[in-house]
Amino acid sequence: MMSDADTLTGKLSGPLFTECAEWIWEQIQEDGHFVQGELIELILVTERMLGVQALERTGAVESVMSRFGEMGIGGDPSPITPDVVDMVLMWEDDFLGFAGISRPES
């Protein structure tokens, strides 16, 4: 079965998308937080499906949170907050920088 991540285009797709999500998960763990890998992937996929990855991070966070609200995704028992989405996108920015990929290209 093909996941949404498999249908993404742009420079951050395929194996590089997976590497990015895993790297973000590791960085968040090292910071002493716990965010499930599936949520990290969902945030990144939603960002791309909405086409908001080129926005300032605040705008991308708002768009992703709005879409999650429309879809009824909220997290239980731990809520998905704007801070969680922002943390994921902040680490994504770092990964993209290391990979030499601008947000609009991703």
Side-chain angles (χ1 to χ4, degrees), residues 8 11 20 31 33 38-39 52 55 62 64 66 72-73 80 82 98 103 106:
L8 296 176
K11 290 189 175 184
C20 177
D31 276 353
H33 302 283
E38 294 84 359
L39 177 57
V52 297
L55 294 178
E62 291 171 1
V64 169
S66 176
I73 299 171
I80 301 168
F98 296 140
R103 287 192 67 76
S106 69

Side-chain angles (χ1 to χ4, degrees), residues 8 10 13 61 70 82 96:
L8 296 176
S13 59
V61 169
E70 292 168 4
L96 293 172

